[in-house]
Structures are given as C-alpha cells and as structure tokens.
Amino acid sequence: MGIEINGTASGAAPRPGQCLRTFLREQGNTGVKKGCDGGDCGACTVHVDGTPVHSCIYPAVRAEGRSVTTIEGLAGTAGGPLHPVQQQFMERQGFQCGFCTAGMVMTAASFDDAQKDNLPRNLKGNLCRCTGYRAIADAVCGHPGHPDPEGPGSGIAGEGQPDPAPGRLGDDVPAPASRAVVTGAARYTLDLPKEEQQGLLHLKILRSPHPHARVLSIAKDAALNVPGVVAVFTSEDAPEQLFSTAQHELFTDDPDDTRVLDDVVRFIGQRVAAVVAESVAAAEAGVRALQVEYEELPAVFSPQEALLPGAPLVHGDKDAVKARISRPERNVVAELHSELGDVAGGFAGADFIHEQTYQTQRVQHVALETHAAIATVDDDGRLQVRTSSQVPFLVRRTLCRVFGLEEDRVHVVAGRVGGGFGGKQEVLTEDLVALAALKLKRPVQLELTRTEQFTATTTRHPFTIKLKAGAAKDGRLTALQLDVVTNTGAYGNHGPGVMFHGCGESLAVYKCANKKVDAQSVYTNTVPAGAFRGYGLSQMIFAIESAMDELAAGIGMDPLEFRRRNMVREGDHMLSTQPQPEEDVLYGSYGLDQCLDLVRDALDRGSERYRQAGLEDLGPDWMVGEGAALSMIDTVPPRGHFAHARLRLLPDGTYQADVGTAEFGNGTTTVHAQLAATALSTEASRVAVRQSDTDLVEHDTGAFGSAGTVVAGKATLEAAEELAVRIRAFAAGIRQTQASACVLDGDAVVVDGTRVALAELAQAAEEAGVDLAAEGRWGGTPRSVAFNVHGFRVAVSRGTGELKILQSVQAADAGVVVNPRQCRGQIEGGIAQAIGATLYEEVVVNDDGKVTTDILRQYHIPTFADVPRSEVYFADTNDTLGPLGAKSMSESPFNPVAPALANAIRNATGVRFAQLPIARDRIYLGLKEAGLVPAEAGAVR
C-alpha cells in the first residue's frame, strides 16, 4: 500500500522509523514545517484521512493506505481558489513570520462552529511566537477585524474588509507574500526544491558534556567507518582566527573570544566536532561513534561567584587588548562606572528611599524556525550560503574574516526567515557549513534541533540590579543608584552592547540630577547570552519602573502623576551615564505625554466597564489592582547603521525595489513597498521588493535594533523620491515640456493632462539607452526616540496565587504609522512575548551548568489561552527624522510589560515581586509570607 499525498499516489515508501513530516518534505511538500520534533508546536500539522495530526510524531508507515493532505493540497488545484480558511488568513493577515501558519491553517480547516467557539482549547496544540494570536483568532473565525478600542489614538485604518487595492502611507497593505504563506509556497531557509537537494550533505555536531574542559584527543576512525559519513572536522581543521558570533556594524563592539571549533570548551552544549554525512541519520550515528578524551577544568556558574578573587577563569587564556575583553583575569567582559551630580547629596535630600535587588532570568527566543544554513561552492569557486539570518551582509563579512576570503567570493542569501527576535543576529551555523563546504566542495546543510536551540545558541542576558532611589515629598526624583551585574555566559557576544544599552534609555527617560551606575558584564560557564528583543532595556526597565511605583507609594502620590513630573519633556537633555547627551539622539517627535493619557483613560474606562458589569468585585478571595510602566528607546542603534537601496522602473511599468534588510515577520517588505509607492504616487502592489541578498545592494547592516523602517526604509524612500524625479524629467523630455507639468499617477505619468503609461515610458527609455533607476542610502543618524506605555488591570487569588489579566492596554508613540494593522500586530506580538517572559518563561540551568528546560514541553511559551486581547493606541505624532514621519516599533512594545504587570500585582496585593518570572508559585509564596493566604488555603497546601 502506498501513501496518497494531496490526491496523488506517492511512489516512495517511508524508511523504517521515519516520521510522516520528514517523509512528506522529502516528497517536496515543504509547507510542512519543523518546529519542535516533539508534537508541541503544531507547525507540521497535516490531515490524515481528514483528521489533523502532528506529523513530526506520526509514524509515516501508519499513513500507508491513507490519504494525506498538506497545506499545498488543501485548496485542491494549485493557483485556483483558496480554501476559506486560507482566504481568511490572507485577508485578516493572521501571520507575521508565517512559519507557524501552514500548521495553523491545517488545524483550523478541520474546525466546526463549536470548535471555533473554544479556540483556547482547540488551538492549544499550535504555537505562534509572533502575532499575539488576535489576528489568528480573527482569521480562524472569519471576523471582519478586531473592533477599534474606544477613545482617541485608537483608529486603525482599514480594519474592516480589506481594500482590494491599498497602497500608500497609512493603509493596511497586506504582506506581498500573503498568498505564498497561506498556501505553503513561501520558501524558508531549508525549503529547497527536490532537484536542488541532490548531493546535499548533512552536518551534525558533537557537543560538550562538560561545562569547562580541554579536548585532549578525538578518535575519528569509528565515525568515519559509519556508512554514509564523509568527513569529521575538529579544532585541528578550523581556522585559528578568533571572532564573535555577535553581529554589529562594527565588529569591534564585541570581544573576539570564539573559534569555529575550539580545543577548550566552556559550557555544556558547546561544539566539539562536526560530522558530515550523506544523511542526517548517518551524521548522527557518526557523532555517537566519536570518542573524545577530555581534561575537565574548574567551572563557575554565577556571575557573583565569577567576580570573586580566585574564581575559575572562563577566558583566562585571552589577551585583554587583542580580544577586547575588559578584565579576563576577573571574568569581566565589559564594565561601566559613571556618576552624574552628587548622588550622596541626592539621597540626603530625599524624603523617601527605596532599595531593592531586582533579578531577571534567561529567556529563549523560540523562533519557530530553528537556526539553519546551507553552504556550497559553485563552479567558479565562490562560496554560496543560504541562511536563516537577520544580518546576511554581516554574516558575509564574518565568513570572509574567519576564512580569509574576499567579499566578492562570498554570496549570502536569507530567504523568508521564520522568526528572529535578536536570536538570528549571530553566526551560529554559517561558519560550520562554510568550513565543510570549502573543504569538501559539496553542498552542506546544518539544521539545529529544538533542544540545540535551548542548550547551544543564546538566551536573553540575566540581570541582577541592586537599586537605590530617592524622592522628595513634592514628587521630585532626588537620586538613582544602580549596581548592575549581567551574566553573558561562556562567550561575550552582545555582552558589552546589552549592558551599555540597558543602562541607557532606561535612565535617560527620567530627569534626575544625581545618577550613579556601576555595571559589569561577566563570563560564566553557562549557555551564552546574546541579543534579545529590547536588548537590555527590558531588564533595566523592570527594575526602574518597579522602583517608580515604590517611590510614588512612599510619598503618597499617584504613580502615573509621579512619572509625569519626572519624565523627560521635549527639549530636555536625555542623560543616562554621560554628563552630555548623545549628540545624534534628538526629539524627532514627542508623544510620551499622550501615551500616559491614553493608558490612563483606557484603564479608567475599563474600570467603569467592570463596575457596570458587576465584575469589579470578584469575591473575597480575589484582590484587584492596576499598574503601568513607561519606556523610551532610541530608534536606531549607535555608531552607524547603514542601508543601501535601488529602485527601477520595469518594462511592464511596475517597479522593482532591491533592499538589503531581511523579512522575518517584522513587516519590512510591506513597509518598503508602501514607502516607495507613496513617493511614486502608485500602489504598493506595483512595487516588487527583493531583499536580504548580498548580491542585490552594496551593504545593509541588518534587521535589528528596529532599523527596518527608520534606516532601510529611509534608503528606499530616498531612492523612490529620486526615481520619481528622473521619471518626470524623462517624460518631460520626450513630450518637450517642463518636469513640473508631469505628475506620476498609478501606472502612468500625466503630462499636460494626458496619461502616458509607465510601460510606454520604460520602452522609450530602453530605446534611448536611459536607465530609469535610482539609489538611496542612509547611515542611521541622527536618531529619534520612541515611547511606549503599558497598563494592566489584574486579579490575584489569595488562596492559590492565580493571576487573571482583566485588562491589557498599550499606547505607542510610533510617529506616522505606515501600516496600522501591521504595527498593531508588532505591538501585540511584543506584549504576548513579554507576558510569557514575565510570568513563566525561564531557561533553567542546574547546579552543574546544564540547561534542563531543553524542549518546548518544559519551556512554556504563551499559547492562545494565555494571551489577553490587548487594547492598542497610537499617539498622534509626526517624526521629523523618520521616513515620512515614521518611528521604529518592533522591540519597544516588549519593554514596559513586565514592570507594568509587577506594578499591577503590587497594587492588588501590596507585595512587591522583584524577581522574574513572577510565576504562580512565587505569587503564592509571596502572599503567604505577607500573611495574605487564608488559613484554610495554607492548611490544604
């Protein structure tokens, strides 16, 4: 018996032990995604005889004699009408990166009306890390759109039925890849056609079982004798060049402390050797056959212990100057010591002082597409790398630096990327596949497992923040003092940047004459930390915004009023750790006061709704409270963030935009099309965007630091504006009139009242040897600031510590919002991710330095049932520095959520929770310590 796939009998038979997902992908059904290998995420959902199953845990042999439907076959004929659920996902834009979407669609396509009425239960097997689920709910149920929240700043253009031809600034333009995403045709990193998989080798990694050890020897023979194994690579085969896996415009921002393969391992999970084979199974067998002799070395697992005299040294073998490590002899990667004003005097003049140690935990990005890359060497000897990366141009630079190659000999492409959140601002796979491809002259693929993501990539930096703050009775901040220790893990990638950035805008948003900061980024023998949404700000803001509420309570002032009296206003110096403000950070626009008002008004309306509905009093067991927090972020990273773009009029009268930035659910493809369309007086659908390919444009620093709109978008806008000038000038020339008499309008130029089709102009330009194209560049400076304010109303159970989020609201100062629906989605996704980081997400490292939360079943990210439907409001601002008035809004929604939630819990219970995550057991124990747990509840426990 064979397996019928999408109505066609498959001529192939599954291998013994093969799962259905792998079998289907081998038959060319690349819409079936790999997200977990454990039946936890739902990205691989298909139908077997009409029933949805997780194909990663469904044995392929069980499908013999059955009918299997994948996302490619859901609608029937390719290119024909879509299945209703696919149509709804496309119309409602129920996706961002889209990696989970095929599985979501396949699950939802099986729902009856009763199942749609209980999505928290029936979508529990499908995870999304990007959207916050609101758009998914609208898509599954076919809603016309989430109703606008009440009040000013709430309007979301086009949230009814989509405009069939939207196009410019402020429109809800759908993502260009919408149809490809909902049909499974969108090509992510490893979605190669079958013909391109011929001769593909697979790489697997032997990883260290020790937190610190020297590799004395590796016996390769047994591995090389495994059928199918082609090669084994160790530190002897790797370049000596030290580098950082972190990627910044200036590689000197990070310490050179990493080798492709090293003979000293510094955390459990570090690479020891790489096995390359004809199949994944053979490579894994080769890894198991390797025999390694280690010399175990002393290890240290907490930054506090690592700072003690005589502590084991993680990188004691490094030269501080050459490697750019502050004090390797004390495990300090980077440090900051600063005092503004007279801090002691500020505390002496305070009427109330708050002191507390705040702690944040390791959090994993959990992008559903794991890190993956394919490298090959073409016939001309050029290295070609296809990778899941936010920074393809910086990947190219790093590969050239490590392997001694010229840039024109390396080509890097990032296809559609299945989530990033900062985790793919690293080189974690590309160097190994490049090493193997350069040695073997064959294509080599590496795909990390979900467990490898948890144990061998990066996490958010844990922070320990000893805070002391003072306030006068009149509501004036008198002093802020912070002692900050960050745990960068075994390698310093992003350690300096996260520390410096965290201590930046979190302090600069408040006017206080007396500020002192001592901060250190510290090595430990644990999984490395790296870039994560918010880049250090979220950790610092948790402490500072919690302290603002404590100070307000201490002097008897409303918390929002206390913030209003101390926050920076337009024109104020923004000072954090330096006596002078950063010269290139300006108020391009200012909307923080509006954001505070919008959140205050929304919480008041919510309270009134609950009161009228009789829900405010949930009974004696429940304590209800509200809280808020604010945040500020510079809209571009410092020290230069560069972008280059090209726009061209095509022969058919449409436009092609080439940009360097990557698309991973951040929506830059749509935004760039809209910016270009606005400048060219056309519709976004007439602008085709090609991106994230190092052969397309000169350079792009990358899609991080929320730079996709405000840096790369500026380059695209500049190119589009110049192209508009050139088109009008050419039209004027051939019609013998003035350029001022020529107006671009959709698919034509109106010349003295007569429409001349762009296709006609393009043909005339070709005949005249004129290239109607233009280029734009932007260097990321000057920079503006963006603001976010979040508010919560919560209920906390005295007896169990259970937390209910009754209301969630965020106001954002995003400048002119290019695509309201898309921007709202970014905010909702940031809120959802931050709620997980606040309440339960934690990468746990045991006393031996081993990550124990190494699968999704042990690491809880928010499911549909966990995420409230947040109200989102926009301040009315127009930024003088951003493209057409826009500001960044990818990272910043994450930042104020944790302290707002902690403040709401404090308001409800009187208990300050200063350690993340604020899990239910911690809430219960905190209430118990405060004497708030009823005696009978305590007795039951």
Side-chain angles (χ1 to χ4, degrees):
M1 293 187 296
I3 300 175
E4 182 184 279
I5 304 173
N6 298 326
T8 302
S10 170
R15 298 187 301 275
Q18 187 175 28
C19 72
L20 181 57
R21 186 208 67 227
T22 304
F23 176 77
L24 291 171
R25 285 185 63 85
E26 287 179 355
Q27 306 314 304
N29 300 283
T30 54
V32 185
K33 303 303 183 194
K34 171 185 174 179
C36 67
D37 274 330
D40 296 325
C41 77
C44 67
T45 303
V46 301
H47 293 176
V48 178
D49 288 342
T51 300
V53 301
H54 288 181
S55 60
C56 69
I57 56 172
Y58 190 98
V61 68
R62 286 183 56 189
E64 290 187 338
R66 299 174 183 267
S67 174
V68 176
T69 303
T70 72
I71 188 71
E72 291 92 342
L74 183 63
T77 306
L82 297 176
H83 184 280
V85 173
Q86 290 174 310
Q87 187 69 34
Q88 288 162 195
F89 265 80
M90 189 167 71
E91 290 178 356
R92 302 313 322 144
Q93 294 290 283
F95 62 88
Q96 285 182 26
C97 85
F99 199 78
C100 72
T101 305
M104 286 280 184
V105 168
M106 295 304 294
T107 298
S110 69
F111 287 172
D112 56 27
D113 289 342
Q115 289 171 305
K116 291 179 182 179
D117 288 339
N118 192 357
L119 293 185
R121 174 182 177 82
N122 293 306
L123 276 182
K124 66 181 181 180
N126 290 80
L127 299 178
C128 175
R129 191 55 155 170
C130 297
T131 65
Y133 296 101
R134 191 269 311 167
I136 290 173
D138 290 345
V140 172
C141 296
H143 293 161
H146 185 61
D148 293 348
E150 307 168 52
S154 60
I156 298 180
E159 270 291 78
Q161 290 298 328
D163 183 335
R168 301 179 191 172
L169 188 72
D171 290 336
D172 284 337
V173 176
S178 294
R179 187 180 180 95
V181 168
V182 303
T183 59
R187 291 292 177 251
Y188 296 80
T189 308
L190 303 185
D191 295 340
L192 299 181
K194 287 180 68 174
E195 58 271 17
E196 292 185 25
Q197 297 181 36
Q198 301 302 314
L200 184 65
L201 299 174
H202 297 270
L203 187 151
K204 283 293 178 179
I205 301 168
L206 173 69
R207 298 189 178 275
S208 171
H210 304 296
H212 199 188
R214 189 178 309 280
V215 179
L216 299 179
S217 66
I218 301 177
K220 303 179 182 179
D221 289 349
L224 290 169
N225 288 331
V226 172
V229 169
V230 174
V232 176
F233 298 110
T234 70
S235 63
E236 295 176 351
D237 306 293
E240 293 290 340
Q241 175 67 55
L242 292 173
F243 68 104
S244 175
T245 63
Q247 302 298 295
H248 287 106
E249 177 62 31
L250 301 175
F251 71 82
T252 51
D253 282 355
D254 302 283
D256 281 344
D257 57 8
T258 304
R259 279 186 69 195
V260 175
L261 291 167
D262 207 337
D263 59 356
V264 175
V265 288
R266 296 174 172 86
F267 70 97
I268 295 175
Q270 183 171 336
R271 306 164 172 181
V272 175
V275 176
V276 182
E278 301 285 353
S279 68
V280 172
E284 290 174 338
V287 167
R288 291 192 296 269
L290 289 172
Q291 297 178 344
V292 185
E293 181 183 359
Y294 297 96
E295 175 194 353
E296 293 190 52
L297 302 173
V300 63
F301 304 119
S302 80
Q304 290 75 22
E305 292 175 347
L307 288 169
L308 295 175
L313 299 181
V314 181
H315 286 278
D317 59 335
K318 300 297 190 301
D319 180 288
V321 175
K322 290 182 179 179
R324 299 182 300 282
I325 300 171
S326 180
R327 287 184 289 148
E329 73 280 4
R330 294 299 296 271
N331 290 316
V332 177
V333 183
E335 54 194 314
L336 167 66
H337 305 284
S338 168
E339 181 169 359
L340 306 182
D342 178 5
V343 172
F347 284 121
D351 294 305
F352 180 78
I353 293 175
H354 168 66
E355 292 187 73
Q356 180 71 57
T357 297
Y358 291 89
Q359 293 178 283
T360 67
Q361 80 283 31
R362 291 178 179 86
V363 177
Q364 231 287 326
H365 311 80
V366 195
L368 283 191
E369 181 193 33
T370 62
H371 284 79
I374 300 171
T376 189
V377 177
D378 66 19
D379 293 341
D380 294 328
R382 193 177 189 220
L383 177 65
Q384 308 276 355
V385 179
R386 180 178 174 86
T387 178
S388 181
S389 175
Q390 299 172 224
V391 287
F393 288 81
L394 301 188
V395 169
R396 179 181 65 178
R397 184 188 65 188
T398 295
L399 294 178
C400 290
R401 181 170 174 239
V402 170
F403 294 102
L405 302 171
E406 296 297 323
E407 283 198 351
D408 63 356
R409 306 306 296 159
V410 180
H411 176 210
V412 178
V413 176
R416 191 170 181 90
V417 178
F421 318 113
K424 292 174 181 175
Q425 192 190 337
E426 309 267 356
V427 167
L428 297 173
T429 55
E430 299 91 343
D431 55 333
L432 268 183
V433 293
L435 171 69
L438 289 168
K439 296 276 189 181
L440 301 173
K441 301 297 188 290
R442 288 183 61 183
V444 180
Q445 172 178 304
L446 170 59
E447 178 182 22
L448 298 191
T449 66
R450 182 57 59 185
T451 292
E452 286 177 306
Q453 290 290 123
F454 281 115
T455 61
T457 60
T458 63
T459 71
R460 186 172 73 156
H461 283 76
F463 274 49
T464 300
I465 305 161
K466 293 181 180 179
L467 179 146
K468 182 178 181 181
K473 288 181 179 178
D474 62 2
R476 177 174 45 87
L477 268 174
T478 64
L480 276 172
Q481 180 175 325
L482 300 104
D483 188 325
V484 182
V485 175
T486 82
N487 185 349
T488 195
Y491 291 88
N493 42 304
H494 296 284
V498 165
M499 181 198 70
F500 283 114
H501 188 237
C503 295
E505 296 97 286
S506 61
L507 286 167
V509 74
Y510 286 112
K511 294 177 290 187
C512 181
N514 310 300
K515 299 176 181 178
K516 183 178 181 181
V517 180
D518 292 287
Q520 298 177 94
S521 179
V522 182
Y523 284 124
T524 59
N525 292 112
T526 59
V527 60
F532 189 99
R533 196 176 202 166
Y535 209 70
L537 278 180
S538 61
Q539 297 95 313
M540 292 292 292
I541 289 170
F542 170 63
I544 292 172
E545 288 298 298
S546 295
M548 293 301 112
D549 262 37
E550 292 299 327
L551 291 174
I555 62 172
M557 183 176 286
D558 175 78
L560 287 184
E561 178 59 27
F562 180 75
R563 287 173 171 82
R564 194 181 300 275
R565 293 192 184 189
N566 290 284
M567 69 193 191
V568 292
R569 298 283 182 162
E570 189 168 9
D572 290 335
H573 289 319
M574 293 176 277
L575 301 177
S576 55
T577 61
Q578 301 297 323
Q580 297 297 324
E582 293 189 66
E583 292 183 357
D584 73 331
V585 179
L586 310 172
Y587 294 99
S589 59
Y590 181 87
L592 180 54
D593 50 354
Q594 292 183 54
C595 291
L596 281 176
D597 291 341
L598 289 166
V599 168
R600 176 72 276 161
D601 292 347
L603 289 175
D604 288 346
R605 290 194 304 272
S607 179
E608 180 62 19
R609 284 197 302 269
Y610 272 90
R611 188 190 65 77
Q612 291 180 358
L615 299 175
E616 193 69 50
D617 183 7
L618 300 176
D621 184 53
W622 291 91
M623 300 171 285
V624 177
E626 65 179 39
L630 62 80
S631 65
M632 177 176 76
I633 190 170
D634 295 344
T635 56
V636 184
R639 293 180 305 285
H641 198 107
F642 297 89
H644 173 230
R646 288 193 181 96
L647 254 82
R648 183 181 307 279
L649 179 65
L650 298 177
D652 64 356
T654 62
Y655 299 95
Q656 179 177 286
D658 290 346
V659 300
T661 192
E663 173 65 63
F664 54 98
N666 49 351
T668 54
T669 313
T670 318
V671 165
H672 284 246
Q674 286 181 263
L675 292 172
T678 301
L680 292 162
S681 300
T682 189
E683 296 160 358
S685 60
R686 294 182 56 79
V687 181
V689 179
R690 301 191 303 176
Q691 60 193 128
S692 53
D693 181 332
T694 60
D695 278 359
L696 289 179
V697 295
E698 292 170 1
H699 181 70
D700 188 284
T701 300
F704 66 89
S706 303
T709 295
V710 295
V711 177
K714 287 269 281 189
T716 295
L717 179 63
E718 181 182 278
E721 290 174 338
E722 175 61 23
L723 180 57
V725 170
R726 295 185 181 187
I727 291 173
R728 288 196 297 268
F730 182 77
I734 64 173
R735 289 301 178 104
Q736 297 183 336
T737 187
Q738 299 296 314
S740 59
C742 303
V743 179
L744 282 163
D745 182 22
D747 62 352
V749 178
V750 179
V751 183
D752 292 328
T754 302
R755 293 181 66 85
V756 180
L758 288 174
E760 180 183 334
L761 277 181
Q763 182 178 354
E766 182 180 6
E767 291 171 354
V770 175
D771 187 15
L772 289 179
E775 301 184 39
R777 292 174 176 81
W778 188 247
T781 185
R783 302 179 284 154
S784 187
V785 286
F787 302 97
N788 296 76
V789 177
H790 201 97
F792 282 107
R793 173 169 284 102
V794 303
V796 183
S797 168
R798 298 175 187 270
T800 66
E802 180 184 355
L803 174 75
K804 292 182 179 180
I805 297 176
L806 305 179
Q807 185 181 10
S808 169
V809 53
Q810 185 165 134
D813 175 15
V816 173
V817 181
V818 178
N819 188 310
R821 179 168 56 192
Q822 184 171 280
C823 190
R824 179 196 176 101
Q826 285 290 298
I827 294 170
E828 290 172 334
I831 294 169
Q833 194 173 42
I835 286 174
T838 304
L839 297 181
Y840 36 78
E841 290 188 42
E842 182 172 17
V843 175
V844 177
V845 176
N846 68 14
D847 292 341
D848 297 321
K850 182 178 182 180
V851 173
T852 59
T853 48
D854 61 357
I855 58 174
L856 283 175
R857 203 159 296 191
Q858 296 165 341
Y859 184 91
H860 176 193
I861 72 168
T863 66
F864 185 96
D866 297 317
V867 181
R869 289 176 78 95
S870 293
E871 302 167 44
V872 175
Y873 303 86
F874 293 109
D876 182 13
T877 61
N878 188 319
D879 199 75
T880 59
L881 303 177
L884 301 181
K887 292 203 253 192
S888 63
M889 199 49 55
S890 290
E891 292 183 275
S892 57
F894 184 99
N895 293 333
V897 171
L901 199 44
N903 289 339
I905 296 169
R906 164 72 164 86
N907 181 252
T909 66
V911 179
R912 168 59 60 191
F913 292 93
Q915 180 180 357
L916 297 180
I918 310 175
R920 180 171 170 175
D921 57 344
R922 284 185 178 157
I923 295 176
Y924 173 79
L925 292 173
L927 298 181
K928 186 175 182 181
E929 184 177 349
L932 296 173
V933 175
E936 60 272 21
V940 171
R941 286 181 176 271

